[in-house]
Amino acid sequence: MAVQQTSFQKKTKSRIPYIPGSRPSIKNTQLLVSSGVPSFDCVIGGGIPVGTLVLIEEDKYGTYAKLLVRYFLAEGIACGHSLFVASQDLNCEALVRELPAPVHHDDAAPTSELDDKMTIAWRYQNMREIQSFSSNTSFGHHYDLTKSVDPDILRTIDTCYWTGPIECRQAEGRFKNPAYYDLLCTIQRKIEEGQFGVEASPEKRNMLRIAVHSLGSPLWAEQTHQKSDLPIFLYCLRSLLRSAYAACVLTLPSHLFQETWVIKRCQHLCDTAVRLESFAGSEKETNPVYRDYHGLFHINKLSAINTLMPHVPESFDLAFRLRRKKFSIEKLHLPPELQGTTQREQDELPSVAGVSCGGAGTRNLLDF
Amino acid sequence: MLSNILTRKQPSTLVCIQDSLEQSGLHLLRAFAQHAVDRKESHVHILCYEHPTIKMKTGLRNSSEDHVHFHDCFTDHRGWIDSQEKENIRSDVHTKGNSILSVLQTSPVTSTNDCIIIIDSLTPLIYNIGFTRCYRELHSLLVKSTNGLTVSQVICLIHEDTLPDVHVALPQLCHLATTTVKIGSHTQSSRGNPTASIIHKKQGGKILRQVEYYSIDADNRLKSEILTLVTPTVAGVNEDENQLPEDLTTFKLSLGQQEKEARSQLVLPYLRINSEKGGKVFYQPDAADDWDEEDPDDDLDI
C-alpha cells in the first residue's frame, strides 16, 4: 500500500526574519521590539509589536514622557536600529546626543538576596518580590541616566531628524496643517529609502524606530484649523507602519488639549495608549500612600495584533518609579504602616453630643 | 523663592508674570528689569508693547546706560506708520506687527553676548499677531540664537483677564514657561502686600511651588516672604478648649501646688518602677495544671 502523502508539511524556514534587538512574541510570534524599559515591555505584553504605534500621554510637566522617549531611542542605539526623531519643541540632535548609556551587568551591584534569610517573618521568605514584572535581561536594557551614550557608537547609527516643516511646503489632500503632512511625507520617504518596508529586500534587514515628541503641542498648531489634522495624521502613520519594520512611540501633551474628542480619537487610532501622571507639583507628591513612587501609570489601550487572546496585565493599578539606573513600572502597593497613627479615619467623625452628660444639643464647656 | 528667581540663584529661562486688573504685576516686572540693569552682565532689551518707553525709562534707575536698550513697539504697534503704503495696511499683508523677532533683528546690537529680554506685556502682541505666532516666537527665542543674539532669559508680563481664549492659552503659556508667577491681590495674612503664587520647574524636572507675598520699594528692590496662612477661627476654638472655665463653676477645678506634689508621688497600680532589668516570669505550679506534652507546632515545617 502506497503511503498516502499528506499535504501537511512542517514549516522548516521561519518567515520571521531575524533582526537584532527583536524577538517573536511567545504567544503569537508577532515580532516585538523593546521599549527600553523592561517593565514597560512586560506591562504591554512583552514589548512593542513591530509595525505599531504607541501613544504616551504626557505628564503635566513632560519630564517622564520625555524620559520614555529617550529610553526608546537609547534601546535603538543599543540594538543598532535606525532612528527617526521628530519634535518641534526640543532640539532633536541634543536629545540624541544626551541619550543614556546602557548599564552593563558587571557594573550592576551583585545581588545578595539569597543571604538575608528571614528569621522571624520566615513565612514571607518564599513570597514573590514586590516587583511584579520580572526583567528579562536578553531583551531590553536598563540605562544609566548619568552617563551619555558613546559618541563613537552614535556615529554608526543611522539617525534622521525632523524639527519642523519646510516653510514653503503646502499641505495636500485632507491635510490643512503643513507640519503633519510634512512629517508624514518625511517618514514615508525614510521607510522607502532605508528599505524598511515589508516588500523591500535589503541585504541586511534593520528596524526603524520612530519617536515623535510632543505631537500636537502649541507649536504644531495653526491659527484657523486647530487639531483636526492630528487624527488624520495618526491614521495615515499607522497604516504606513503596518507594512514596515518600524515601531513608533509618540508623546502627546494631552493636558493642553481643550478638545477631549481629539484625545479620544488619538487613543482610538493608536495600538497602545498609556498615560503618565506625575506627582511632581501635585498634592499627591506628599501623600504617604504614594511615598515610594513618582507617578501613576494608566493604561488606556493595549494592542491586540494577530491574536484572539490579547495580553491582559495582572493589574491596572500601576505606578512608576525613577532611579538613576532604572525606570520601573510596578504594581501600586501601599507602603507598610510603620508608625502607629494616633487616629484612624473613622475616629475623626465628630463625637455625638448625646454621649456627654450635658445631654443632647449644644456642647457646653463643662460637659465631660 | 521669588527673590531667588530674581537674582537668578534659581536659573529660569522664561519667567511669565500673570496679573489681572485686581493687582498689577508691572512693579514686579520693573523689579526684575532693575535687577537685570544693575547686574550689568548682559544686554537688557526692554520691549514696550503696552506703554510708551518713557514710562519704563522713568521707572528704572540707571536706565540710560549702554547695555540697556529700549524698543518702542507702542506708538507704531502694527507697523503702519513705517510701511506708508496704504494698500498694505488695508490688506494687512507685510505689516510687521512688531513681532519680538523682527524688533530684535532690526536693533543694532553688535555684541554677541547673551541678553535678557523684558516684555512689558504680551497681551497687545497676542492681539496683533495671534497667540500661536506669539508662542512660536517665544519658543524660538529660547531655543535658537536669533541674529547673533543668544537669549539667556525672557521675562514677560501677561494680563490673564484680557487674554482671548484664556482657558486654552494660559495653560499653554505655563507649559512653555519655566517659572510662572501668578499675582494675586492682598489677603489677610499678607499684611496688605500683593501675593505671588510661584510654580518653578527646576532643570532636573523637579517642581517647586510656593505662595509668597512681596513688596517693592522706591528703588525697585524686591522683598518677598513666604505666605503663612493664618487661620484665626481654628486657633480661637483651640484656646477656648484648653482653658478651664474656672469662673463658671462653684467647684474647684484646678490643682494647688501641694496637691500637684501629692499627685506626682502617688504610685499608680501597674506602673513599672524598675525598668533596668528584663522581665521575669515567676510561676508557681498549681495542682490543677494541665500540662500538654506535645509540641503544639509539630505539624508546622519549621
Side-chain angles (χ1 to χ4, degrees):
Chain A
M1 209 168 103
V3 180
Q4 202 175 5
Q5 273 210 320
T6 61
S7 61
F8 179 79
Q9 278 183 328
K10 195 173 175 239
K11 206 155 55 173
T12 45
K13 199 177 145 228
S14 169
R15 275 177 54 240
I16 302 165
Y18 174 74
I19 303 171
S22 70
R23 71 164 181 207
S25 162
I26 41 166
K27 282 182 180 157
N28 51 7
T29 65
Q30 171 73 36
L31 204 59
L32 302 175
V33 287
S34 172
S35 64
V37 181
S39 51
F40 185 39
D41 291 341
C42 282
V43 170
I44 61 171
I48 301 172
V50 170
T52 63
L53 201 57
V54 178
L55 175 81
I56 299 168
E57 286 181 46
E58 287 181 17
D59 45 318
K60 196 174 173 199
Y61 299 102
T63 326
Y64 296 102
K66 190 177 146 196
L67 205 63
L68 283 182
V69 169
R70 290 176 67 198
Y71 282 130
F72 176 73
L73 292 171
E75 179 70 25
I77 289 176
C79 303
H81 295 166
S82 294
L83 304 183
F84 183 96
V85 193
S87 174
Q88 296 213 59
D89 295 61
L90 289 176
N91 183 352
C92 296
E93 281 171 54
L95 181 81
V96 171
R97 223 181 304 126
E98 287 156 15
L99 285 178
V103 177
H104 296 292
H105 279 278
D106 336 330
D107 303 356
T111 46
S112 56
E113 280 163 36
L114 289 172
D115 294 344
D116 46 64
K117 267 203 147 180
M118 291 184 184
T119 48
I120 297 166
W122 50 269
R123 277 275 177 180
Y124 291 93
Q125 186 78 61
N126 296 329
M127 287 282 279
R128 280 190 312 167
E129 272 186 74
I130 290 246
Q131 197 200 337
S132 47
F133 305 106
S134 62
S135 54
N136 193 332
T137 45
S138 61
F139 183 74
H141 304 75
H142 287 294
Y143 293 90
D144 188 346
L145 290 173
T146 52
K147 284 185 203 151
S148 291
V149 70
D150 190 359
D152 293 331
I153 299 171
L154 202 59
R155 237 168 273 136
T156 62
I157 303 290
D158 165 38
T159 327
C160 190
Y161 304 104
W162 183 91
T163 50
I166 309 153
E167 285 296 322
C168 55
R169 187 138 200 166
Q170 284 298 310
E172 285 172 38
R174 297 283 316 274
F175 286 98
K176 299 188 195 101
N177 190 331
Y180 293 110
Y181 182 72
D182 190 62
L183 176 58
L184 199 66
C185 290
T186 318
I187 291 174
Q188 189 183 17
R189 214 176 316 123
K190 178 74 192 169
I191 288 174
E192 273 170 22
E193 281 170 11
Q195 294 186 306
F196 295 107
V198 179
E199 307 292 311
S201 48
E203 288 169 34
K204 187 173 174 287
R205 209 174 256 299
N206 203 353
M207 198 72 77
L208 176 67
R209 278 173 186 256
I210 304 167
V212 186
H213 174 261
S214 250
L215 182 78
S217 80
L219 292 174
W220 292 72
E222 286 288 299
Q223 201 76 60
T224 46
H225 20 74
Q226 279 267 305
K227 300 260 162 47
S228 58
D229 274 3
L230 183 54
I232 308 171
F233 169 76
L234 290 179
Y235 182 73
C236 296
L237 178 62
R238 196 184 184 189
S239 73
L240 259 183
L241 290 175
R242 277 289 188 276
S243 56
Y245 284 96
C248 179
V249 165
L250 39 92
T251 69
L252 195 75
S254 59
H255 60 97
L256 294 178
F257 289 13
Q258 284 302 311
E259 311 92 331
T260 39
W261 59 268
V262 178
I263 305 169
K264 287 278 167 221
R265 280 189 198 178
C266 291
Q267 288 170 357
H268 195 77
L269 290 166
C270 291
D271 297 292
T272 309
V274 297
R275 185 164 66 88
L276 300 178
E277 183 188 341
S278 160
F279 296 152
S282 80
E283 282 139 29
K284 288 176 180 167
E285 196 174 20
T286 48
N287 193 332
V289 172
Y290 299 122
R291 196 172 48 194
D292 295 339
Y293 304 104
H294 288 111
L296 295 179
F297 187 87
H298 302 279
I299 295 177
N300 289 326
K301 187 182 177 185
L302 286 173
S303 61
I305 309 269
N306 294 348
T307 180
L308 290 172
M309 284 275 289
H311 168 80
V312 179
E314 227 177 295
S315 163
F316 284 95
D317 287 327
L318 300 170
F320 61 84
R321 176 202 321 231
L322 175 68
R323 273 168 291 177
R324 196 165 60 89
K325 288 184 178 173
K326 197 175 175 187
F327 180 92
S328 59
I329 296 162
E330 298 165 6
K331 241 198 285 188
L332 181 65
H333 285 271
L334 297 182
E337 185 108 359
L338 290 177
Q339 71 268 45
T341 46
T342 48
Q343 275 185 323
R344 282 168 302 164
E345 228 168 86
Q346 61 263 36
D347 292 344
E348 281 173 30
L349 292 168
S351 56
V352 187
V355 176
S356 63
C357 79
T362 52
R363 259 184 81 192
N364 198 304
L365 279 169
L366 294 176
D367 286 353
F368 55 89
Chain B
M1 191 162 75
L2 200 57
S3 48
N4 277 352
I5 291 162
L6 182 90
T7 54
R8 303 182 66 182
K9 265 182 208 162
Q10 288 278 2
S12 172
T13 49
L14 176 60
V15 182
C16 181
I17 304 170
Q18 301 170 13
D19 70 349
S20 59
L21 194 62
E22 237 171 290
Q23 180 68 50
S24 168
L26 191 65
H27 298 281
L28 186 61
L29 186 81
R30 209 178 273 152
F32 270 95
Q34 187 70 63
H35 191 267
V37 168
D38 290 346
R39 268 171 78 99
K40 294 181 183 172
E41 280 175 16
S42 44
H43 284 261
V44 184
H45 292 267
I46 300 172
L47 279 71
C48 299
Y49 281 98
E50 201 172 45
H51 303 289
T53 44
I54 193 75
K55 184 174 176 181
M56 204 64 173
K57 263 183 200 163
T58 48
L60 291 176
R61 287 178 301 113
N62 309 329
S63 63
S64 51
E65 283 186 24
D66 285 346
H67 65 284
V68 190
H69 312 276
F70 285 92
H71 302 279
D72 179 16
C73 317
F74 172 71
T75 30
D76 189 15
H77 67 273
R78 285 188 81 88
W80 286 355
I81 302 168
D82 208 26
S83 77
Q84 281 161 0
E85 285 171 44
K86 283 209 172 125
E87 236 0 84
N88 283 349
I89 294 167
R90 205 171 299 137
S91 57
D92 215 29
V93 242
H94 297 305
T95 50
K96 293 183 303 182
N98 268 328
S99 69
I100 307 169
L101 290 179
S102 65
V103 167
L104 288 177
Q105 274 161 3
T106 48
S107 77
V109 178
T110 45
S111 149
T112 51
N113 281 351
D114 62 340
C115 61
I116 295 172
I117 293 172
I118 289 157
I119 303 167
D120 82 340
S121 167
L122 279 178
T123 315
L125 186 67
I126 290 171
Y127 285 150
N128 273 344
I129 65 171
F131 179 77
T132 334
R133 247 187 87 190
C134 183
Y135 185 95
R136 273 199 195 151
E137 293 211 333
L138 278 178
H139 181 260
S140 63
L141 268 187
L142 298 173
V143 173
K144 293 164 207 153
S145 54
T146 45
N147 204 26
L149 290 170
T150 34
V151 179
S152 65
Q153 193 176 32
V154 179
I155 300 154
C156 61
L157 187 70
I158 192 150
H159 310 308
E160 57 182 72
D161 44 2
T162 56
L163 204 62
D165 282 335
V166 70
H167 58 287
V168 186
L170 212 54
Q172 293 185 349
L173 205 63
C174 295
H175 179 70
L176 185 68
T178 29
T179 310
T180 319
V181 183
K182 192 176 153 100
I183 309 283
S185 59
H186 60 89
T187 60
Q188 250 183 341
S189 37
S190 71
R191 292 174 210 144
N193 296 315
T195 57
S197 31
I198 308 149
I199 300 172
H200 178 67
K201 299 177 207 166
K202 281 174 90 173
Q203 197 88 46
K206 219 178 156 202
I207 309 295
L208 301 177
R209 256 170 198 269
Q210 213 154 64
V211 182
E212 294 184 349
Y213 64 90
Y214 67 92
S215 60
I216 287 151
D217 62 9
D219 289 339
N220 293 328
R221 274 193 300 251
L222 174 93
K223 257 190 204 165
S224 68
E225 209 114 352
I226 296 171
L227 186 75
T228 40
L229 282 177
V230 182
T231 44
T233 48
V234 174
V237 169
N238 281 341
E239 267 174 40
D240 282 356
E241 275 181 0
N242 292 334
Q243 272 179 355
L244 283 169
E246 300 196 4
D247 47 347
L248 284 178
T249 60
T250 54
F251 304 106
K252 191 186 174 202
L253 289 174
S254 57
L255 292 174
Q257 198 61 41
Q258 270 191 325
E259 287 160 326
K260 275 184 187 166
E261 249 173 60
R263 184 179 66 174
S264 64
Q265 278 166 8
L266 182 73
V267 179
L268 294 169
Y270 309 113
L271 191 73
R272 191 174 293 166
I273 299 162
N274 53 340
S275 54
E276 61 262 26
K277 283 178 196 168
K280 270 184 186 170
V281 178
F282 297 101
Y283 180 71
Q284 287 175 325
D286 196 53
D289 272 348
D290 181 23
W291 285 101
D292 196 1
E293 292 296 326
E294 270 181 41
D295 183 9
D297 290 340
D298 202 22
D299 54 333
L300 297 178
D301 181 27
I302 303 177

Short mmCIF file of all heavy atoms in Angstrom, two decimals, chain A residues 220-245:
data_model
loop_
_atom_site.label_atom_id
_atom_site.label_comp_id
_atom_site.label_asym_id
_atom_site.label_seq_id
_atom_site.Cartn_x
_atom_site.Cartn_y
_atom_site.Cartn_z
N TRP A 220 2.66 73.08 17.06
CA TRP A 220 2.15 72.41 15.86
C TRP A 220 0.89 73.10 15.37
O TRP A 220 0.42 72.80 14.27
CB TRP A 220 1.79 70.95 16.18
CG TRP A 220 2.96 70.09 16.49
CD1 TRP A 220 3.71 70.12 17.61
CD2 TRP A 220 3.51 69.06 15.68
NE1 TRP A 220 4.69 69.18 17.55
CE2 TRP A 220 4.58 68.50 16.36
CE3 TRP A 220 3.17 68.54 14.42
CZ2 TRP A 220 5.35 67.46 15.85
CZ3 TRP A 220 3.93 67.50 13.92
CH2 TRP A 220 5.02 66.97 14.63
N ALA A 221 0.35 73.96 16.17
CA ALA A 221 -0.97 74.48 15.86
C ALA A 221 -0.92 75.49 14.72
O ALA A 221 0.07 76.18 14.53
CB ALA A 221 -1.56 75.14 17.10
N GLU A 222 -1.99 75.54 14.00
CA GLU A 222 -2.21 76.59 13.02
C GLU A 222 -3.34 77.45 13.56
O GLU A 222 -4.16 76.98 14.36
CB GLU A 222 -2.61 75.98 11.69
CG GLU A 222 -1.46 75.34 10.97
CD GLU A 222 -0.49 76.36 10.41
OE1 GLU A 222 -0.90 77.17 9.58
OE2 GLU A 222 0.68 76.34 10.81
N GLN A 223 -3.37 78.67 13.09
CA GLN A 223 -4.35 79.58 13.65
C GLN A 223 -5.79 79.11 13.44
O GLN A 223 -6.59 79.08 14.36
CB GLN A 223 -4.16 80.95 13.00
CG GLN A 223 -4.73 82.06 13.83
CD GLN A 223 -3.84 82.37 15.03
OE1 GLN A 223 -2.69 82.72 14.87
NE2 GLN A 223 -4.35 82.20 16.22
N THR A 224 -6.09 78.72 12.24
CA THR A 224 -7.50 78.51 11.90
C THR A 224 -8.00 77.11 12.24
O THR A 224 -9.00 76.94 12.90
CB THR A 224 -7.74 78.80 10.42
OG1 THR A 224 -6.69 78.14 9.69
CG2 THR A 224 -7.71 80.28 10.15
N HIS A 225 -7.27 76.12 11.78
CA HIS A 225 -7.75 74.75 11.96
C HIS A 225 -6.89 74.08 13.02
O HIS A 225 -5.74 73.75 12.80
CB HIS A 225 -7.68 73.97 10.65
CG HIS A 225 -6.74 74.59 9.67
ND1 HIS A 225 -5.39 74.50 9.81
CD2 HIS A 225 -6.97 75.36 8.59
CE1 HIS A 225 -4.82 75.18 8.84
NE2 HIS A 225 -5.75 75.71 8.09
N GLN A 226 -7.52 73.88 14.13
CA GLN A 226 -6.71 73.55 15.30
C GLN A 226 -6.18 72.12 15.30
O GLN A 226 -5.01 71.89 15.07
CB GLN A 226 -7.53 73.80 16.56
CG GLN A 226 -7.52 75.27 16.95
CD GLN A 226 -6.43 75.58 17.93
OE1 GLN A 226 -6.36 74.95 18.98
NE2 GLN A 226 -5.58 76.52 17.64
N LYS A 227 -7.03 71.16 15.57
CA LYS A 227 -6.49 69.83 15.83
C LYS A 227 -7.05 68.79 14.87
O LYS A 227 -6.85 67.61 15.06
CB LYS A 227 -6.84 69.42 17.26
CG LYS A 227 -6.27 70.33 18.31
CD LYS A 227 -5.03 69.77 18.92
CE LYS A 227 -4.19 70.78 19.65
NZ LYS A 227 -4.89 71.66 20.53
N SER A 228 -7.78 69.23 13.83
CA SER A 228 -8.45 68.23 13.00
C SER A 228 -7.46 67.38 12.23
O SER A 228 -7.78 66.27 11.83
CB SER A 228 -9.41 68.92 12.05
OG SER A 228 -8.68 69.84 11.26
N ASP A 229 -6.24 67.88 12.04
CA ASP A 229 -5.26 67.12 11.27
C ASP A 229 -4.62 66.02 12.09
O ASP A 229 -4.07 65.08 11.52
CB ASP A 229 -4.17 68.06 10.77
CG ASP A 229 -4.55 68.70 9.45
OD1 ASP A 229 -5.68 68.45 9.01
OD2 ASP A 229 -3.73 69.43 8.90
N LEU A 230 -4.68 66.14 13.38
CA LEU A 230 -3.97 65.17 14.23
C LEU A 230 -4.50 63.75 14.07
O LEU A 230 -3.72 62.82 13.85
CB LEU A 230 -4.03 65.67 15.68
CG LEU A 230 -3.31 64.88 16.75
CD1 LEU A 230 -1.86 64.66 16.39
CD2 LEU A 230 -3.39 65.60 18.08
N PRO A 231 -5.83 63.53 14.15
CA PRO A 231 -6.30 62.16 13.94
C PRO A 231 -6.00 61.62 12.54
O PRO A 231 -5.65 60.45 12.41
CB PRO A 231 -7.82 62.29 14.15
CG PRO A 231 -7.99 63.48 15.00
CD PRO A 231 -6.92 64.41 14.57
N ILE A 232 -6.08 62.49 11.53
CA ILE A 232 -5.77 62.02 10.17
C ILE A 232 -4.30 61.61 10.09
O ILE A 232 -3.96 60.59 9.48
CB ILE A 232 -6.06 63.13 9.13
CG1 ILE A 232 -7.47 63.67 9.31
CG2 ILE A 232 -5.88 62.62 7.73
CD1 ILE A 232 -7.75 64.89 8.48
N PHE A 233 -3.48 62.40 10.73
CA PHE A 233 -2.05 62.08 10.73
C PHE A 233 -1.81 60.71 11.36
O PHE A 233 -1.08 59.88 10.81
CB PHE A 233 -1.30 63.17 11.50
CG PHE A 233 0.13 62.82 11.80
CD1 PHE A 233 1.09 62.88 10.82
CD2 PHE A 233 0.51 62.40 13.08
CE1 PHE A 233 2.40 62.55 11.09
CE2 PHE A 233 1.82 62.06 13.35
CZ PHE A 233 2.77 62.13 12.35
N LEU A 234 -2.44 60.47 12.50
CA LEU A 234 -2.24 59.20 13.19
C LEU A 234 -2.75 58.03 12.34
O LEU A 234 -2.12 56.98 12.28
CB LEU A 234 -2.94 59.22 14.55
CG LEU A 234 -2.33 60.13 15.59
CD1 LEU A 234 -3.13 60.07 16.87
CD2 LEU A 234 -0.90 59.74 15.86
N TYR A 235 -3.86 58.25 11.69
CA TYR A 235 -4.44 57.22 10.85
C TYR A 235 -3.49 56.85 9.72
O TYR A 235 -3.22 55.66 9.47
CB TYR A 235 -5.77 57.75 10.30
CG TYR A 235 -6.52 56.79 9.44
CD1 TYR A 235 -7.17 55.69 10.00
CD2 TYR A 235 -6.60 56.97 8.07
CE1 TYR A 235 -7.85 54.80 9.21
CE2 TYR A 235 -7.28 56.10 7.28
CZ TYR A 235 -7.91 55.01 7.84
OH TYR A 235 -8.59 54.13 7.07
N CYS A 236 -2.95 57.86 9.07
CA CYS A 236 -2.03 57.62 7.96
C CYS A 236 -0.73 56.99 8.45
O CYS A 236 -0.20 56.07 7.82
CB CYS A 236 -1.71 58.92 7.24
SG CYS A 236 -3.11 59.68 6.46
N LEU A 237 -0.25 57.49 9.57
CA LEU A 237 1.00 56.97 10.10
C LEU A 237 0.86 55.50 10.47
O LEU A 237 1.73 54.68 10.20
CB LEU A 237 1.41 57.79 11.33
CG LEU A 237 2.69 57.35 12.04
CD1 LEU A 237 3.88 57.49 11.10
CD2 LEU A 237 2.94 58.19 13.28
N ARG A 238 -0.27 55.16 11.04
CA ARG A 238 -0.48 53.79 11.46
C ARG A 238 -0.50 52.85 10.25
O ARG A 238 0.08 51.76 10.29
CB ARG A 238 -1.81 53.70 12.20
CG ARG A 238 -1.98 52.46 13.00
CD ARG A 238 -3.37 52.49 13.57
NE ARG A 238 -3.65 51.39 14.45
CZ ARG A 238 -4.86 51.16 14.92
NH1 ARG A 238 -5.87 51.95 14.57
NH2 ARG A 238 -5.08 50.14 15.72
N SER A 239 -1.13 53.30 9.18
CA SER A 239 -1.18 52.44 8.01
C SER A 239 0.19 52.35 7.35
O SER A 239 0.53 51.32 6.76
CB SER A 239 -2.23 52.96 7.03
OG SER A 239 -1.75 54.13 6.42
N LEU A 240 0.99 53.39 7.46
CA LEU A 240 2.36 53.33 6.95
C LEU A 240 3.18 52.31 7.73
O LEU A 240 3.94 51.53 7.16
CB LEU A 240 3.03 54.69 7.13
CG LEU A 240 3.15 55.66 5.97
CD1 LEU A 240 3.92 56.88 6.42
CD2 LEU A 240 3.88 55.00 4.82
N LEU A 241 3.00 52.33 9.04
CA LEU A 241 3.81 51.47 9.91
C LEU A 241 3.47 50.00 9.72
O LEU A 241 4.34 49.13 9.84
CB LEU A 241 3.60 51.85 11.37
CG LEU A 241 4.16 53.17 11.84
CD1 LEU A 241 3.76 53.42 13.27
CD2 LEU A 241 5.66 53.17 11.73
N ARG A 242 2.21 49.72 9.44
CA ARG A 242 1.76 48.33 9.35
C ARG A 242 2.56 47.53 8.32
O ARG A 242 2.75 46.34 8.47
CB ARG A 242 0.28 48.28 8.97
CG ARG A 242 -0.66 48.45 10.12
CD ARG A 242 -0.65 47.23 11.03
NE ARG A 242 -1.70 47.36 12.03
CZ ARG A 242 -1.59 48.01 13.16
NH1 ARG A 242 -0.44 48.58 13.46
NH2 ARG A 242 -2.59 48.09 14.00
N SER A 243 2.99 48.19 7.28
CA SER A 243 3.71 47.47 6.25
C SER A 243 5.20 47.80 6.28
O SER A 243 5.84 47.88 5.26
CB SER A 243 3.12 47.81 4.88
OG SER A 243 3.16 49.20 4.70
N ALA A 244 5.71 48.02 7.47
CA ALA A 244 7.13 48.35 7.57
C ALA A 244 7.71 47.74 8.83
O ALA A 244 6.99 47.47 9.79
CB ALA A 244 7.33 49.86 7.60
N TYR A 245 9.00 47.49 8.80
CA TYR A 245 9.70 47.05 10.00
C TYR A 245 10.04 48.29 10.81
O TYR A 245 11.16 48.77 10.80
CB TYR A 245 10.94 46.25 9.63
CG TYR A 245 10.59 44.86 9.17
CD1 TYR A 245 10.47 44.56 7.82
CD2 TYR A 245 10.36 43.86 10.10
CE1 TYR A 245 10.12 43.30 7.41
CE2 TYR A 245 10.00 42.59 9.69
CZ TYR A 245 9.88 42.31 8.35
OH TYR A 245 9.53 41.06 7.95
#
